[in-house]
Amino acid sequence: MAGRVIVITSGKGGVGKTTTTANLGAGLAALGRRVCLVDADIGLRNLDVVMGLENRIVYDLVEVVEGHARLRNALIKDKRLEGLFLLPAAQTREKDAVSPEQMRTLCAQLAEEFDYVLVDSPAGIEHGFRNAIAGAHEAIIVTTPEVAAVRDADRIIGLLEANDLPNPRLVINRLRPQMVRRGDMMDIDDVIEILAIDLLGVVPDDEAIIVATNRGEPIVISGRTKSAQAYRNIVRRIEGEDVPFMQLEEDGWVDRLRNLVGIGRKKTRGA
Amino acid sequence: MLEFIGKLFRGEEDASKRVAKERLRLVLVQDRMSLSPQALNAMKEELIAVISKYLEIDEAGPEVSLERDGESVALVATIPVKRVTGLARAGR
Ligand SMILES: Nc1ncnc2c1ncn2[C@@H]1O[C@H](COP(=O)(O)OP(=O)(O)O)[C@@H](O)[C@H]1O
Ligand SMILES: [Mg+2]
């Protein structure tokens, strides 16, 4: 049976597509799945660094597509997790070095060998985006709880629908429970209400993610933080499990005081 | 101290997320209604085809556009009718 090709996209840059792709890929591999990560951000390759595999690149996606390298020779095997591979983007080529048709063929080829093919999309809605979605069967949209990011996500949802990728699922990234509690950040319900799509998970804003990224190690592999747990939950949901949303914040003294005084306030729903 | 307690229990009304949500809602109304000229034209053609089954219309005349009024969007179509066709009368 052919594997699932899932594109991770957002419209806006810097919201966490690459971080999400790396962690979901590593998380799926940790469950024993065969996973290939595809960096579709041609000219701005990133996923290799986030995965800590940048020193092992020999060939890239464009060379494979152009027939200058064989696919199996371009795939980098992650030594930490059995069954995890990366197909890096080209760094010195233009986005239009690859066509959507070529991406479709490439993804189909990979899907024959892997359970999951995760495609990390570049920002924007132009050629690079169309390449990234070309071979996908499913889409995950990443957004942060900010006006510009949610607006772009809405645009992307429309474009995915127009390209036969209906029902994308949403990952809300960099949520800050304390700001939500203060009323200074849109909460999960606000974002879901506005975008009207299914929630796949919520990842809190967490310094540990930046630290892990500095080291080139996806936090999902051995992190003990809530953010790592959030990725593990998302992975299980992708696998079809019904995982309850965890609470993102412990009850602080303010909560206890509020409860004591009887002033209820909505808790931050979790990841 | 009073101010501090006020802050602690302050409602969400004066917080920035309300502003964010409201701005987002408004901007999305605008974004979502922008149909590409091709899509608008295709819709116009199909509308003409459907309406022509019932009414004889002036093929050159129809105007179709999306108009915004605050938060709501309306599809406004002006389609000059020449005469009611037999099919429509028979269908009564
Ligand atoms: N949940 C998070 N908490 C803290 N930092 C994050 C989180 N998600 C992403 N980041 C950081 O945000 C920056 C942009 O993330 P990245 O995945 O490269 O976004 P994109 O691929 O959408 O451009 C990176 O520095 C990354 O480490
Ligand atoms: Mg990226």
Side-chain angles (χ1 to χ4, degrees):
Chain A
M1 202 185 77
R4 290 161 68 181
V5 182
I6 308 177
V7 61
I8 289 91
T9 184
S10 71
K12 192 170 183 307
V15 298
K17 292 177 292 297
T18 301
T19 308
T20 304
T21 307
N23 279 286
L24 299 187
L28 285 163
L31 292 184
R33 303 286 170 259
R34 285 181 55 78
V35 181
C36 184
L37 305 177
V38 177
D39 190 345
D41 202 344
I42 308 216
L44 280 174
R45 117 173 137 204
N46 263 185
L47 191 51
D48 54 334
V49 193
V50 174
M51 293 295 296
L53 299 173
E54 70 274 17
N55 292 326
R56 301 191 29 223
I57 296 177
V58 184
Y59 299 111
D60 60 51
L61 187 153
V62 175
E63 288 170 305
V64 170
V65 160
E66 289 179 341
H68 300 314
R70 295 180 58 186
L71 181 53
R72 69 171 67 250
N73 295 336
L75 294 178
I76 304 165
K77 183 172 164 36
D78 191 310
K79 289 173 180 156
R80 294 160 297 198
L81 288 161
E82 186 67 32
L84 182 59
F85 291 80
L86 167 72
L87 179 59
Q91 178 68 335
T92 54
R93 299 294 296 269
E94 299 288 324
K95 293 212 185 289
D96 54 11
V98 179
S99 72
E101 192 48 55
Q102 288 170 320
M103 279 299 286
R104 211 167 291 135
T105 308
L106 178 71
C107 289
Q109 219 174 328
L110 287 169
E112 280 172 24
E113 293 206 26
F114 292 92
D115 300 317
Y116 289 95
V117 179
L118 302 188
V119 184
D120 182 19
S121 158
I125 54 174
E126 277 88 37
H127 196 85
F129 166 74
R130 280 199 290 276
N131 275 343
I133 67 170
H137 312 135
E138 302 168 48
I140 293 174
I141 295 183
V142 181
T143 190
T144 58
E146 290 164 290
V147 178
V150 176
R151 179 195 195 176
D152 288 0
D154 188 78
R155 185 83 203 282
I156 291 292
I157 293 168
L159 289 173
L160 290 175
E161 214 159 78
N163 285 280
D164 291 323
L165 274 172
N167 310 321
R169 291 192 283 175
L170 186 71
V171 170
I172 300 177
N173 191 27
R174 310 199 75 160
L175 191 92
R176 295 172 67 171
Q178 292 194 1
M179 289 191 72
V180 170
R181 188 202 295 255
R182 287 209 302 270
D184 277 329
M185 181 177 268
M186 285 186 283
D187 63 28
I188 298 161
D189 295 327
D190 293 329
V191 177
I192 291 298
E193 179 195 325
I194 285 169
L195 292 179
I197 64 174
D198 287 340
L199 181 65
L200 184 61
V202 183
V203 181
D205 191 66
D206 186 357
E207 287 180 10
I209 289 185
I210 297 171
V211 174
T213 305
N214 284 342
R215 300 209 157 95
E217 175 166 334
I219 197 163
V220 75
I221 295 180
S222 52
R224 292 168 183 279
T225 58
K226 287 207 166 166
S227 54
Q229 186 58 45
Y231 284 125
R232 286 183 207 114
N233 288 353
I234 294 174
V235 161
R236 287 166 57 203
R237 291 186 196 114
I238 291 175
E239 285 268 280
E241 256 184 82
D242 188 10
V243 186
F245 288 90
M246 74 183 183
Q247 198 184 313
L248 280 182
E249 202 179 15
E250 309 294 333
D251 273 5
W253 65 271
V254 177
D255 273 302
R256 275 180 261 131
L257 179 63
R258 273 208 199 95
N259 290 339
L260 209 68
V261 189
I263 306 177
R265 181 78 78 79
K266 227 176 22 183
K267 289 248 175 62
T268 308
R269 186 146 60 100
Chain B
M1 183 66 194
L2 259 178
E3 201 182 314
F4 173 69
I5 290 178
K7 251 196 175 139
L8 205 61
F9 296 114
R10 127 186 119 163
E12 285 176 357
E13 291 71 37
D14 51 347
S16 67
K17 89 141 193 192
R18 296 261 312 195
V19 183
K21 209 176 162 186
E22 196 48 40
R23 290 175 58 218
L24 193 50
R25 225 196 278 279
L26 283 171
V27 79
L28 286 185
V29 169
Q30 246 166 337
D31 287 0
R32 284 172 183 169
M33 69 173 274
S34 49
L35 215 54
S36 72
Q38 295 95 307
L40 201 62
N41 223 15
M43 182 169 71
K44 186 167 131 184
E45 300 288 315
E46 285 185 48
L47 275 174
I48 292 173
V50 170
I51 294 167
S52 299
K53 288 206 286 192
Y54 303 94
L55 305 169
E56 192 174 315
I57 60 181
D58 183 358
E59 298 264 342
E63 295 280 345
V64 176
S65 63
L66 286 169
E67 282 171 23
R68 189 162 69 102
D69 178 14
E71 265 203 57
S72 60
V73 179
L75 173 71
V76 180
T78 310
I79 303 175
V81 177
K82 280 188 184 160
R83 68 187 178 91
V84 179
T85 65
L87 183 61
R89 263 177 280 149
R92 285 268 173 96

